[in-house]
Amino acid sequence: MLDAVGVLLVLMLDAALSSLLLCSLLLVSSPYFIVSALWALAAVKWACLHVFTSFVSDGKPPAALHGLTALLCLLLPVCESGRVLTGTSFQTYSGPSLDLGELLLVRPACAALAWVLWEGLAGWAEPTIGEQDTTRLLTRVLKYFKADAVYLMAAFTFLILGVVCDTYVPWYQGKVVDFLSSRQLTADFGVCIRELVLVSLGSALFSAGRGGLFKCSLARLNYRLKLLLFHRLLQQELHFFHLNKPGQLSARLHEDVDKMGCTVALNANAMVRSVVKTLLMLHVMFSLSSELTVISCSAMALLGALQKTYIPLHKELKKQTQDCLAHNKQLVAETVGAIRTVRSLGAEPEELRHYDKALQRTSSVRRRAGIYSTLYRLLHQLIFTGMKIVMMMKARTLLSTNQLSIGNLLTFLLYLKPLQRSITEILQSFGNTVATVGVISKVFSYLDRTPKRTKDGLLSPEELHGDVVLRDVTFSYPSAPDRPAVKGVSMRLRPGRLTALVGPSGSGKSSMTLLLKRLYEPEEGEVLLDGEPLHCYTHTFLQEKVALVSQNPVLFSGSLRYNVEYGLKDVPFQKVREAAEKVNAHRLISAMESGDNTDIGERGEKLSEGEKQLVAVLRVLLRDPKVLILDEATSHLDLNSQRDVLREVLSGGRTVLVVTHQLHTVETADHIVFMEGGAVVEEGTHAQLMERRGRYRRLKEEQFTEP
């Protein structure tokens, strides 16, 4: 705010010093000393202004204030020297004009306006890196409106027509007042009334059409951007979703895309409308009174300086607010999503304390934003009020000399409030656009992000045997690159056989399932399916033929049938029934009130853990995969249900991998692989491993002797 306040104070001090210096010039009668006295007095004024700006700026005045100070001091002596050099002789020269309105208002106002324009042009001529990025981002946003070019052309046409009609409403109101004040209601009065009605009606109709078309374009843009962004998010690698929490991604998808669309669709609409309207109003106002218009322009210059200071503050605080809101949403989503754990541990007060701190941070940022906004609006109103006072004083002189009529004065005054609103709207639209650049940049960073994984191939063979081979596979999670979860593992999964992957917790079993499902890719070695690396297959084919059922399957809100058929199209109802009977899940469906159309609640909360596992197994079997991975997938089922599931998954020559740390469940497996510390320690059948008396036997004995 210091720049804007400094400019205002410098102009006020300049007016006071100019009054004193002009009084001193009245004592100089010789024309030979007038010009030299002006230069000397300018030096005195410059010294005073320099000391003043250093004082209000704590000894470090901005370079721009030095430029304004020099301009104000040199304006009068340069103008008067020019008058002498271009033809006015010293004998007839009597010094500068003593019109206080011109010397104290018009010339300083013109100087301030010229200074603001120069500072702006200097900034535009050499944009900074941040401004270049802003221009590039806004230009890129415009490209997404190509599909709505017809709507936008019609909207801008209505915008221009509406602005023209709206601008000339006060003009005709002033003419009506002149007719009424003259008390001579001629035929021209009726014409004027009809024209006033036409422009008022046109303003309303065109404004309504413009608003509707812009909102329609915004809705279409939001639809396309949200769909595109969601598509890009779904393509990212799994580690991306560990780094970016669901609440934050949801906020980016919905709130940030809406703000991004408003930047162009609404802010551009408001800015273009206000700029055109401002120019038209200034043209009409200048034709009514050039003196009053210059005074209005002086207020514009001060408002521009004020806005230039406020925009960076507004941008930073808006970014902080957006980050706080995203964090709050994420905090609530995590707490509500884990309400069972929170309640079982009695952590409600702790979560409440965390949320209270988050709300306090948000309130603090909003409080600072409110203070700066209030101060900005206060200074804005003071400048505008001061302009009206000076304008009324000047209008009194113009009326007394018949240079201005009552109707023209009323017309001019009717333009003041719309002019103020238009200027404010221009500045606010510009500030909102700049403040949204961070949001736009974040959205584009997601749209441009390339998934950090090998590109999918084109293989989708009609027949797949399901022969899986791992060759010297080493893998580390991106969050812990120096701690390999899998170390040089080589193994083979044969079709029609049950392979068990066992070992203590943290041995790398679950990491192996993620590699087989290609949710992650190995750093070294390769995973082959029928002799081809997994990335050579199409994504859809691979996810259909290689299925994974985890210990805690994820279900979705909706009916039981919706979850069973999730991701499939046109599944015959009889096929669902047959698959349910084979894994002993038909009793679950029959026991429900509405059968398979029963709503199972959010994330399947109405089902038990065992019922969730049955639904997940049934969902996978409907896809008829060739490779099936069961990661503790039947741990919550009774022994009979476990046997039914294993018997069904082994039918059809499938390749089955069972992952568990409970060794008694895999004694009948065709092949057992024991892992520890991310490496394969031993492998063979149950009998072979028991005879070796190695880690497998010791772990089994430990489990058997546990109380």
Side-chain angles (χ1 to χ4, degrees):
M1 291 294 182
L2 183 59
D3 289 348
V5 174
V7 171
L8 183 60
L9 293 175
V10 165
L11 291 175
M12 293 173 60
L13 181 60
D14 175 72
L17 291 174
S18 297
S19 301
L20 295 174
L21 297 178
L22 284 173
C23 292
S24 64
L25 279 178
L26 296 176
L27 303 176
V28 181
S29 58
S30 173
Y32 293 99
F33 296 100
I34 291 179
V35 174
S36 56
L38 287 173
W39 283 98
L41 294 174
V44 173
K45 188 165 67 170
W46 177 84
C48 296
L49 290 176
H50 179 72
V51 172
F52 177 75
T53 54
S54 299
F55 175 76
V56 298
S57 304
D58 295 329
K60 297 180 179 180
L65 278 184
H66 284 308
L68 178 61
T69 300
L71 183 61
L72 291 172
C73 295
L74 296 175
L75 180 64
L76 186 59
V78 169
C79 288
E80 297 305 312
S81 299
R83 289 178 59 190
V84 174
L85 295 176
T86 55
T88 304
S89 64
F90 280 101
Q91 286 74 20
T92 59
Y93 176 68
S94 58
S97 171
L98 296 181
D99 185 350
L100 294 180
E102 178 183 354
L103 290 173
L104 302 183
L105 295 176
V106 177
R107 291 190 180 186
C110 291
L113 180 59
W115 171 75
V116 170
L117 292 175
W118 172 257
E119 290 295 322
L121 290 173
W124 298 333
E126 297 181 0
T128 62
I129 295 177
E131 291 170 339
Q132 290 174 349
D133 292 341
T134 300
T135 303
R136 178 181 58 81
L137 289 173
L138 295 179
T139 302
R140 185 176 175 186
V141 173
L142 289 175
K143 294 180 181 179
Y144 287 93
F145 279 95
K146 286 184 178 180
D148 302 316
V150 176
Y151 293 93
L152 292 176
M153 289 175 62
F156 278 108
T157 301
F158 284 162
L159 184 150
I160 299 298
L161 294 175
V163 167
V164 171
C165 292
D166 193 38
T167 301
Y168 281 95
V169 169
W171 172 271
Y172 286 107
Q173 289 176 342
K175 292 180 67 175
V176 169
V177 171
D178 276 338
F179 276 116
L180 294 175
S181 62
S182 64
R183 299 182 181 180
Q184 295 179 0
L185 303 181
T186 61
D188 293 338
F189 177 74
V191 174
C192 186
I193 290 293
R194 286 195 297 272
E195 291 176 343
L196 176 59
V197 172
L198 286 176
V199 295
S200 299
L201 184 61
S203 174
L205 292 177
F206 291 132
S207 297
R210 177 260 309 162
L213 287 171
F214 271 115
K215 289 182 179 179
C216 178
S217 300
L218 177 59
R220 288 165 56 90
L221 174 72
N222 283 344
Y223 166 76
R224 293 194 302 273
L225 280 178
K226 288 179 180 179
L227 189 62
L228 178 61
L229 180 57
F230 190 60
H231 178 254
R232 294 296 297 171
L233 291 178
L234 292 179
Q235 292 178 324
Q236 301 304 317
E237 74 280 1
L238 200 60
H239 184 62
F240 170 82
F241 297 97
H242 294 311
L243 298 177
N244 299 273
K245 301 302 181 182
Q248 294 175 343
L249 292 177
S250 179
R252 301 298 180 192
L253 180 61
H254 293 93
E255 297 179 6
D256 289 2
V257 170
D258 289 338
K259 288 182 173 65
M260 180 176 170
C262 288
T263 298
V264 176
L266 299 184
N267 289 335
N269 164 30
M271 186 175 294
V272 173
R273 182 184 69 246
S274 300
V275 168
V276 174
K277 189 174 182 179
T278 299
L279 293 176
L280 288 174
M281 286 190 294
L282 287 175
H283 171 72
V284 176
M285 293 168 68
F286 195 86
S287 65
L288 294 173
S289 174
S290 58
E291 293 90 344
L292 297 181
T293 305
V294 169
I295 297 174
S296 302
C297 290
S298 65
M300 291 174 56
L302 293 177
L303 291 174
L306 182 64
Q307 183 69 16
K308 184 180 179 182
T309 305
Y310 178 67
I311 285 177
L313 294 173
H314 179 68
K315 177 181 177 181
E316 177 61 25
L317 291 173
K318 194 168 186 177
K319 178 180 178 299
Q320 293 180 14
T321 302
Q322 187 67 24
D323 292 340
C324 287
L325 291 176
H327 174 72
N328 293 353
K329 286 187 176 182
Q330 174 64 25
L331 183 61
V332 172
E334 287 183 349
T335 303
V336 174
I339 188 62
R340 292 184 180 180
T341 303
V342 173
R343 185 156 297 172
S344 63
L345 296 176
E348 293 94 334
E350 182 71 12
E351 293 297 335
L352 185 62
R353 184 176 62 83
H354 289 164
Y355 190 60
D356 179 55
K357 285 186 176 181
L359 290 179
Q360 288 181 8
R361 286 194 296 269
T362 306
S363 299
S364 176
V365 174
R366 284 180 167 173
R367 191 182 306 113
R368 284 188 286 123
I371 293 173
Y372 285 124
S373 177
T374 302
L375 182 57
Y376 163 74
R377 294 179 184 278
L378 175 62
L379 291 175
H380 186 281
Q381 193 61 36
L382 288 175
I383 293 172
F384 194 76
T385 302
M387 179 197 68
K388 288 196 292 187
I389 294 175
V390 175
M391 188 177 296
M392 290 297 101
M393 296 172 60
K394 186 64 178 178
R396 179 176 179 275
T397 303
L398 296 176
L399 288 172
S400 63
T401 57
N402 295 324
Q403 299 180 46
L404 190 68
S405 67
I406 295 294
N408 287 346
L409 177 60
L410 177 62
T411 300
F412 194 95
L413 295 177
L414 289 174
Y415 277 120
L416 283 180
K417 199 66 177 179
L419 180 65
Q420 181 193 19
R421 285 198 300 267
S422 294
I423 294 174
T424 302
E425 197 170 42
I426 292 172
L427 300 175
Q428 287 180 346
S429 299
F430 180 74
N432 290 336
T433 301
V434 174
T436 316
V437 168
V439 173
I440 297 175
S441 177
K442 193 66 176 179
V443 172
F444 279 142
S445 69
Y446 289 144
L447 288 175
D448 297 337
R449 192 179 189 276
T450 302
K452 297 179 180 179
R453 62 176 186 173
T454 308
K455 187 177 180 180
D456 295 329
L458 301 176
L459 289 180
S460 56
E462 294 183 1
E463 293 187 6
L464 187 71
H465 299 290
D467 189 12
V468 179
V469 176
L470 290 83
R471 294 178 179 171
D472 297 324
V473 172
T474 298
F475 166 72
S476 300
Y477 287 98
S479 57
D482 56 339
R483 289 184 300 168
V486 177
K487 306 174 184 177
V489 172
S490 296
M491 59 185 294
R492 184 175 184 179
L493 310 179
R494 300 179 183 274
R497 300 182 63 181
L498 173 62
T499 302
L501 188 62
V502 299
S505 299
S507 59
K509 303 186 302 295
S510 295
S511 299
M512 289 289 293
T513 66
L514 298 178
L515 293 173
L516 290 171
K517 188 63 177 170
R518 206 193 162 213
L519 297 176
Y520 287 100
E521 295 192 9
E523 298 173 3
E524 298 178 8
E526 55 184 354
V527 182
L528 306 177
L529 176 61
D530 282 4
E532 298 289 344
L534 294 184
H535 62 78
C536 293
Y537 294 90
T538 64
H539 175 74
T540 304
F541 178 83
L542 183 65
Q543 302 307 319
E544 179 181 338
K545 296 302 180 181
V546 180
L548 168 65
V549 183
S550 61
Q551 181 178 12
N552 299 305
V554 176
L555 302 182
F556 301 93
S557 301
S559 67
L560 178 64
R561 184 171 183 178
Y562 169 76
N563 278 274
V564 171
E565 299 178 356
Y566 182 76
L568 299 176
K569 296 181 180 179
D570 304 326
V571 180
F573 179 72
Q574 186 60 30
K575 185 177 180 180
V576 177
R577 288 288 185 179
E578 292 176 358
E581 291 178 358
K582 291 178 180 179
V583 296
N584 209 11
H586 62 286
R587 290 181 299 179
L588 167 64
I589 299 176
S590 301
M592 291 191 169
E593 181 180 354
S594 301
D596 56 353
N597 290 318
T598 303
D599 186 1
I600 63 174
E602 184 176 359
R603 295 182 178 272
E605 61 182 7
K606 296 181 180 180
L607 302 179
S608 67
E609 297 301 324
E611 290 171 339
K612 289 180 182 179
Q613 289 186 338
L614 275 178
V615 173
V617 170
L618 184 58
R619 178 169 61 188
V620 166
L621 290 179
L622 285 177
R623 287 162 167 76
D624 192 22
K626 291 299 295 182
V627 180
L628 183 56
I629 307 167
L630 302 177
D631 186 2
E632 302 283 2
T634 60
S635 58
H636 295 290
L637 300 178
D638 56 66
L639 292 178
N640 291 331
S641 297
Q642 289 182 9
R643 293 192 188 100
D644 292 337
V645 170
L646 288 177
R647 182 176 60 251
E648 176 58 26
V649 299
L650 284 171
S651 64
R654 292 190 182 94
T655 303
V656 180
L657 175 67
V658 175
V659 179
T660 182
H661 66 277
Q662 298 178 354
L663 304 187
H664 68 275
T665 62
V666 297
E667 292 180 359
T668 60
D670 299 303
H671 190 68
I672 300 175
V673 178
F674 189 92
M675 291 188 65
E676 190 171 27
V680 175
V681 178
E682 52 187 0
E683 55 184 316
T685 63
H686 171 71
Q688 292 171 344
L689 293 177
M690 291 297 291
E691 290 179 0
R692 292 178 186 175
R693 299 180 177 274
R695 286 291 295 123
Y696 176 83
R697 177 165 178 165
R698 288 199 298 273
L699 184 60
K700 184 171 180 58
E701 291 174 349
E702 290 173 2
Q703 292 182 357
F704 182 77
T705 57
E706 286 180 356

